[in-house]
Amino acid sequence: MFEKEYDVIVVGGGHAGSEAAAAAANLGSKTLLITMNLQNIGQMSCNPAMGGIAKGQIIREIDALGGYSGIVSDNTAIQFKMLNKSKGPAMWSPRVQSDRMRFAEAWRLMLEGTKNLDFYQEMVSGILVEGEKIVGVKTSLGIEVRGKTVVLTNGTFLNGLIHIGEKQFGGGRAGERAAHGITKELVDLGFESGRMKTGTPPRVDGRSLDFSKMIVQPGDVSPEKFSYLKSTKPLTHQRDCHMSHTSLEVHDLLREGFDRSPMFNGTINSVGPRYCPSIEDKINRFADKDSHQLFVEPEGWDTVEYYVNGFSTSLPEDVQFKALRSVKGFENVKFFRPGYAIEYDFFPPTQLRHTLETKNIKGLYFAGQINGTTGYEEAASQGLMAGINAHLKVKEQQPLIIKRNEAYIGVLIDDLITKGTEEPYRMFTSRAEYRTLLRQDNADFRLTPMSHNIGLASDERLRLMEEKKQKSEAFIDFFKESSVTPEVINPILEEKDSAIVKQSDKLFKPLSRPNITMQDMQKIDFVTSYINEHDLDHEVLQQTEIQIKYAGYIAKEKNNADKLNRLEGIKIPEGFDYSKLKSLSYEAKEKLSAIKPVTVSQASRISGVSPNDISVMLVYMGR
């Protein structure tokens, strides 16, 4: 039934698995995607949206590398918002509301149109290992499929257990069975495993809601998009979301079910996502708050199904229903399906290398929620990197490792394998110490050349990036070289309550002011003429403004990153014996021996390793 031996076998067809399969196949590896249900490839298990704070940056990075998530998101979006526009550009984060059904369909069709990619629908129940090397997988039907590398992207399916009140049943998602067998095999091979929890809210019938009692949440007036390719287009019309609020009455009704809640009666012991708590967790932890926001999000262009964002719960279905009916606009609500919590197995990611290959078994890669992360975007980026590195390993080429100062993807992977995680890991802008460098607008500058070098990012992507860069640099030079007279610039400055000038000055000076924008500068005729003559689009204008306005911050951050990268260059020999360094603290010896950092810089980021411990290591290494 199968090839004699695949280069890459990907297990799971969620966001991580889809990106892994696409990357490996597009790079030229003969790839097999095995999943339990081919109808659910690219399924949005939770909210029907992509992007958000820091997550939007990740989607743009995936696109810059040649992944598919940005393209699929653009082609199936029903609303676009750029979040945090009131803050600096390091915080701007794109987000789209997606059509759930079309999103999964688009992923399926893109994968089916990808050369070198085969599909098979069945449960993978184990892996095939010879010595310390992966050689394939085995399925629940007893079929053995040989592969040089294997990428596990099992999501919430490993021994998944769904909770609704006092009821529990096995499942990886509502309506889908759990996957069994893999955890036991990995533990028998020496891997450490744990349990995590996540949850989802009820889905409701929009025809039963009174939107006139809610606050309208429209998309941006001038929507942008995720992909750097010209083939996707911004939305020309959008669907509104809405907002309502819980109340003390709603909270009291929810509390009535706390004795039957698996969160509070001891049924669930695993840790859930700190930054996406259930509604019962919110009213328990924030008892002083009278209300919490609920975002009512359509599931697509045409469907009447709505997602109640902010009402994630595992309370009994009758309690969910009664409480939700006390929310403004939900008085006559009808449920499509109740909310639930799900517990699943994960493997602490300190057992991985920066390539996402496991330290125990060569050729075996983990990506997504199996590593303790939460969110489609985090999963997709890991899948992409695992697929790339599995291919490069098969071809005996150098792996692709992205540094912390190069991408949020680099921060995510380094955090996971260096610090591990005891709760579902979610990306935030605050996790990136170089976030001024890692903006959503310049992901192509940062990542497209390195991806093109390995053969994933297309020639077209590289051409678009280079054209954008050349136009931006030329426009910056134009601002630095062109002068503007007081009589031309002062009316613009006065309009913005900004200090007027008494003599001619270079154009970049006024644009450097915090309250003066590129839009203001376009009121100057010769600036507009330059823009029209050189056909500069929104991305070039935005890039020019950011580079001029934040030049000092960007330069400072680059300098700090360069200092850190000097420590990245100091490699720690494989199998280094930390016990022989007498001056290292006991905790440092323990953590360093367990995590086995590759560089001194990585060692410095391990919790429990002090600056003094790093100094001891540097002295020992003659530095």
Side-chain angles (χ1 to χ4, degrees):
M1 288 175 64
F2 299 100
E3 295 273 329
K4 186 176 179 183
E5 183 182 42
Y6 282 95
D7 293 320
V8 181
I9 297 174
V10 178
V11 179
H15 299 267
S18 297
E19 286 288 6
N26 281 324
L27 282 165
S29 278
K30 191 63 186 169
T31 306
L32 174 67
L33 174 61
I34 307 183
T35 186
M36 291 167 66
N37 189 344
L38 287 171
Q39 301 305 114
N40 292 334
I41 283 177
Q43 183 68 254
M44 295 177 130
S45 309
C46 203
N47 65 320
M50 291 293 277
I53 308 298
K55 293 166 174 278
Q57 283 87 329
I58 290 175
I59 296 296
R60 292 218 99 191
E61 290 175 353
I62 290 170
D63 186 74
L65 286 163
Y68 284 175
S69 289
I71 298 168
V72 172
S73 297
D74 285 346
N75 288 335
T76 59
I78 63 174
Q79 188 193 86
F80 180 94
K81 272 191 174 181
M82 186 67 78
L83 307 180
N84 279 342
K85 280 292 284 199
S86 61
K87 301 179 180 177
M91 307 296 282
W92 298 352
S93 301
R95 181 184 190 268
V96 297
Q97 201 68 34
S98 301
D99 185 308
R100 186 190 298 277
M101 290 183 286
R102 293 184 186 181
F103 186 93
E105 179 190 40
W107 253 118
R108 169 80 180 256
L109 294 177
M110 283 193 78
L111 288 173
E112 285 187 5
T114 301
K115 289 179 182 176
N116 302 314
L117 182 56
D118 291 346
F119 301 86
Y120 186 59
Q121 177 174 297
E122 210 201 317
M123 182 197 293
V124 170
S125 57
I127 56 174
L128 303 175
V129 177
E130 291 177 2
E132 293 182 349
K133 187 179 185 305
I134 197 84
V135 294
V137 299
K138 55 189 174 188
T139 72
S140 55
L141 287 177
I143 298 168
E144 294 188 351
V145 189
R146 308 287 286 189
K148 294 172 184 173
T149 59
V150 172
V151 183
L152 295 183
T153 71
N154 304 81
T156 58
F157 282 76
L158 292 180
N159 294 323
L161 184 64
I162 291 173
H163 298 265
I164 302 177
E166 295 164 303
K167 302 161 189 167
Q168 298 103 41
F169 48 93
R173 222 174 1 221
E176 295 180 66
R177 60 185 176 147
H180 301 285
I182 290 177
T183 297
K184 184 180 183 306
E185 283 203 4
L186 289 172
V187 170
D188 289 345
L189 286 165
F191 286 90
E192 177 193 347
S193 74
R195 295 283 276 177
M196 281 189 176
K197 176 199 85 80
T198 189
T200 195
R203 310 311 201 267
V204 301
D205 189 335
R207 296 169 299 183
S208 66
L209 303 180
D210 185 350
F211 292 106
S212 68
K213 294 182 179 178
M214 304 180 200
I215 303 162
V216 179
Q217 301 283 295
D220 287 351
V221 175
S222 300
E224 297 180 39
K225 63 192 188 82
F226 275 121
S227 182
Y228 290 99
L229 292 176
K230 302 297 184 188
S231 56
T232 69
K233 304 297 179 188
L235 289 167
T236 52
H237 68 286
Q238 305 180 64
R239 281 207 68 176
D240 288 336
C241 295
H242 292 78
M243 183 170 69
S244 190
H245 294 82
T246 62
S247 62
L248 290 175
E249 180 192 358
V250 174
H251 297 179
D252 288 341
L253 289 169
L254 288 167
R255 285 191 188 96
E256 286 179 13
F258 276 14
D259 60 328
R260 297 158 62 201
S261 165
M263 290 278 295
F264 301 127
N265 64 15
T267 310
I268 293 178
N269 293 311
S270 49
V271 183
R274 178 190 300 264
Y275 302 103
C276 189
S278 64
I279 188 65
E280 56 265 39
D281 202 17
K282 279 193 275 195
I283 64 175
N284 188 51
R285 277 166 52 191
F286 308 110
D288 57 317
K289 289 198 175 291
D290 294 345
S291 71
H292 295 283
Q293 292 178 335
L294 300 179
F295 292 95
V296 189
E297 301 172 341
E299 297 260 335
W301 283 114
D302 305 311
T303 181
V304 297
E305 187 173 3
Y306 276 75
Y307 179 92
V308 190
N309 195 339
F311 206 86
S312 174
T313 182
S314 57
L315 285 164
E317 65 278 11
D318 58 310
V319 176
Q320 296 181 34
F321 180 69
K322 191 176 176 183
L324 203 51
R325 279 215 156 182
S326 295
V327 173
K328 270 190 182 178
F330 285 77
E331 293 85 357
N332 299 305
V333 69
K334 292 180 180 178
F335 273 27
F336 270 22
R337 40 189 162 149
Y340 63 88
I342 181 167
E343 286 187 287
Y344 55 92
D345 293 339
F346 85 105
F347 290 82
T350 50
Q351 300 170 100
L352 303 177
R353 305 179 191 278
H354 272 96
T355 58
L356 297 181
E357 183 184 23
T358 65
K359 293 172 182 174
N360 285 9
I361 304 295
K362 291 174 183 173
L364 177 62
Y365 296 77
F366 291 172
Q369 284 177 286
I370 192 172
N371 290 336
T373 60
T374 180
Y376 309 145
E377 303 82 2
E378 289 88 343
S381 66
Q382 292 171 72
L384 178 71
M385 296 310 297
I388 288 171
N389 282 313
H391 162 84
L392 293 173
K393 188 175 186 72
V394 169
K395 302 302 178 187
E396 297 182 346
Q397 296 174 12
Q398 285 296 309
L400 181 65
I401 295 171
I402 298 174
K403 299 189 186 81
R404 294 181 73 89
N405 65 305
E406 292 175 325
Y408 274 91
I409 295 173
V411 175
L412 167 68
I413 292 173
D414 186 66
D415 275 357
L416 290 175
I417 71 160
T418 301
K419 300 173 183 175
T421 185
E422 294 178 357
E423 60 186 47
Y425 178 102
R426 179 180 179 181
M427 180 51 74
F428 288 103
T429 49
S430 58
R431 294 195 192 272
E433 59 270 44
Y434 304 115
R435 54 188 171 274
T436 305
L437 301 180
L438 310 183
R439 305 182 310 277
Q440 57 84 32
D441 59 90
N442 69 349
D444 52 345
F445 291 177
R446 293 185 273 119
L447 300 174
T448 297
M450 69 171 75
S451 181
H452 185 265
N453 283 341
I454 63 168
L456 183 56
S458 64
D459 292 342
E460 171 71 358
R461 281 191 181 279
L462 188 68
R463 185 191 64 77
L464 288 169
M465 184 280 296
E466 288 175 339
E467 183 180 299
K468 173 181 160 185
K469 194 169 190 177
Q470 181 271 320
K471 284 184 173 181
S472 300
E473 289 172 351
F475 200 29
I476 290 167
D477 288 341
F478 170 79
F479 269 82
K480 287 181 177 178
E481 292 162 6
S482 303
S483 296
V484 62
T485 61
E487 50 269 26
V488 171
I489 194 64
N490 280 342
I492 295 169
L493 299 177
E494 284 174 338
E495 195 179 324
K496 286 295 189 80
D497 292 324
S498 194
I500 61 170
V501 297
K502 294 181 179 176
Q503 58 190 39
S504 296
D505 211 338
K506 299 301 182 187
L507 267 178
F508 83 91
K509 284 277 189 71
L511 186 54
S512 299
R513 298 186 185 189
N515 57 336
I516 303 300
T517 66
M518 180 63 76
Q519 208 168 352
D520 295 321
M521 303 306 285
Q522 287 175 254
K523 294 171 184 174
I524 300 170
D525 289 342
F526 67 90
V527 173
T528 305
S529 297
Y530 183 98
I531 291 168
N532 293 336
E533 184 185 336
H534 294 86
D535 192 25
L536 305 187
D537 61 17
H538 169 76
E539 284 196 11
V540 172
L541 300 184
Q542 186 182 76
Q543 193 62 222
T544 302
E545 181 174 2
I546 291 168
Q547 291 289 344
I548 289 175
K549 204 177 284 292
Y550 296 91
Y553 298 101
I554 292 168
K556 185 179 178 183
E557 213 155 89
K558 276 183 179 170
N559 187 43
N560 290 339
D562 290 342
K563 287 177 183 174
L564 181 84
N565 284 335
R566 287 172 209 150
L567 287 182
E568 286 286 359
I570 306 173
K571 304 287 184 189
I572 299 172
E574 200 166 337
F576 186 79
D577 183 5
Y578 294 98
S579 65
K580 64 188 178 187
L581 298 187
K582 305 295 183 199
S583 301
L584 278 185
S585 67
Y586 178 79
E587 185 180 4
K589 287 178 185 176
E590 194 177 61
K591 295 280 181 69
L592 290 164
S593 299
I595 293 171
K596 301 180 180 67
V598 177
T599 66
V600 172
S601 179
Q602 187 193 350
S604 73
R605 295 189 293 273
I606 296 172
S607 174
V609 176
S610 70
N612 185 62
D613 294 320
I614 296 301
S615 296
V616 170
M617 292 174 64
L618 288 172
V619 169
Y620 183 83
M621 293 173 175
R623 296 301 185 107

